[in-house]
Amino acid sequence: MPHVSEVADGIYQIEIDEAKTSGTAEPLRCSTVYLIVADGQTALIETGPAVVAPVVLGTIRRLGHDPSRLSYILLTHIHLDHAGGAGTLAHQCPQLQVLVHQRGARHLVEPSRLIEGTRQAFGERFEDEYGPIVPVPEGQVRAVDDGEVIPLGERELRIIYAPGHAPHHMCIYDTKSQGIFSGDALGTPPIESNIVLTVAGFDLDSALESIDKLSQLNPKVVFFSHGGVSRETARLMQSLRANTKAYGDIILGALKVGEGKEQMARRLGAYHSKLIPGEYHLEEHRFEHIIPWYVAHFKRKGVA
Ligand SMILES: [Zn+2]
């Protein structure tokens, strides 16, 4: 059973634990899907992987809405944990449109490259755990671009192109809650009130630009795609930006003098201890998965 809560007026957060749904022993990150309701119209933000599609449909019904009347699915990006169920849901709800940034649209209709990339990231047998990636019928895909406004009842959903985590990543700004559905553009929710880690696997420069662009909207709330919401948005984005930039500087500096992952992790830990002296120690293993993202970025750029 997913955990469902109304996190803002007419916005339902559906948190689904993939591990529990698929019965795997390995705990996986939870996927979060949002149902937006406005004057009897409904839209979904994200779908989670295909394996959770029945849970998503059942939850929409339990909340008193008919999935066969869903108007839209809006995807922040096409990665498996956010959008893997788009094709499955589109086939079951042929009236709905799947909205995705124009740079990602063709991969939903013809997902062979997406499936190949998913195999590399999630393993050869990803379908066993997450379900298949099914093509979205071309007539149901609508490519959108920065600044486009999607009316939904009394609400307006504005498309904010926010690359960095992926070149086709977008966020969605809801006028009624003045909130941002951030996908992976603003990292995952703060693990401690004062600590924010960084944006996942990315192009550093565009990730920083996207954080700035989203900050300028002064959102009242951030709805994360991996659980949680934040209402301390100014502080969130400030520390996310500072961290992301500082990690980059530290890791680039370390790369240039030939330091390895362990030394980098120690330097990042020291950075955090300096930020909050004596109060908080961020264990170095917390940085293990972060460092390769930065190293890959600097190698691609040819600066290290
Ligand atoms: Zn992603």
Side-chain angles (χ1 to χ4, degrees):
M1 274 286 242
H3 181 257
V4 182
S5 48
E6 188 172 6
V7 287
D9 190 12
I11 298 180
Y12 298 86
Q13 185 182 56
I14 307 170
E15 289 190 280
I16 304 157
D17 187 332
E18 289 150 32
K20 277 186 202 137
T21 311
S22 62
T24 60
E26 188 91 344
L28 303 167
R29 288 189 306 174
C30 99
S31 268
T32 303
V33 175
Y34 292 91
L35 176 71
I36 308 182
V37 179
D39 297 334
Q41 289 194 52
T42 47
L44 278 185
I45 307 275
E46 319 282 45
T47 63
V51 71
V52 305
V55 180
V56 171
L57 293 173
T59 306
I60 295 171
R61 285 190 201 100
R62 272 217 324 276
L63 288 168
H65 301 281
D66 181 355
S68 72
R69 297 189 59 193
L70 268 175
S71 300
Y72 306 111
I73 289 173
L74 294 100
L75 301 171
T76 61
H77 62 303
I78 62 175
H79 291 167
L80 178 72
D81 43 339
H82 297 256
T88 302
L89 287 176
H91 280 282
Q92 295 191 30
C93 309
Q95 82 292 345
L96 66 73
Q97 283 188 310
V98 178
L99 275 56
V100 63
H101 187 263
Q102 53 185 12
R103 293 186 67 168
R106 68 193 163 96
H107 300 295
L108 289 184
V109 179
E110 208 295 280
S112 54
R113 266 185 63 192
L114 176 62
I115 291 170
E116 196 36 54
T118 306
R119 285 209 179 98
Q120 282 167 25
F122 289 82
E124 245 349 273
R125 299 177 59 85
F126 76 87
E127 292 192 1
D128 296 353
E129 284 178 36
Y130 297 98
I133 293 177
V134 175
V136 182
E138 194 165 7
Q140 283 182 265
V141 176
R142 176 166 154 198
V144 293
D145 198 6
D146 190 46
E148 244 176 87
V149 172
I150 314 300
L152 187 80
E154 81 274 19
R155 320 182 91 103
E156 284 185 346
L157 304 174
R158 202 189 312 154
I159 306 301
I160 315 290
Y161 180 46
H165 172 68
H168 65 280
H169 191 290
M170 66 185 208
C171 296
I172 297 112
Y173 179 81
D174 165 52
T175 49
K176 189 172 177 191
S177 62
Q178 296 174 47
I180 290 174
F181 295 91
S182 60
D184 282 339
L186 295 176
T188 45
I191 49 167
E192 295 281 330
S193 59
N194 289 316
I195 303 273
V196 178
L197 291 179
T198 182
V199 180
F202 61 170
D203 178 79
L204 178 59
D205 308 301
S206 36
L208 290 171
E209 274 170 35
S210 291
I211 295 169
D212 290 341
K213 184 175 177 182
L214 295 167
S215 303
Q216 280 158 19
L217 295 170
N218 287 319
K220 288 204 167 129
V221 50
V222 170
F223 305 105
F224 292 98
S225 287
H226 292 291
V229 298
S230 172
R231 290 192 161 76
E232 289 187 73
T233 60
R235 202 171 70 165
L236 166 85
M237 290 194 275
Q238 223 169 31
S239 52
L240 179 68
R241 194 190 195 292
N243 279 2
T244 303
K245 175 83 173 61
Y247 293 1
D249 293 344
I250 290 166
I251 291 169
L252 181 59
L255 273 173
K256 283 186 168 160
V257 296
E259 288 184 357
K261 216 172 145 180
E262 272 171 36
Q263 286 156 304
M264 291 176 190
R266 266 202 299 280
R267 287 185 188 279
L268 296 174
Y271 160 78
H272 275 288
S273 317
K274 233 188 289 171
L275 281 185
I276 315 166
E279 267 183 42
Y280 190 80
H281 176 70
L282 198 60
E283 303 94 331
E284 280 154 23
H285 72 83
R286 282 268 170 74
F287 300 105
E288 268 168 24
H289 65 293
I290 290 170
I291 291 168
W293 300 335
Y294 284 86
V295 172
H297 165 78
F298 291 124
K299 293 245 149 90
R300 267 198 312 273
K301 289 252 150 177
V303 292

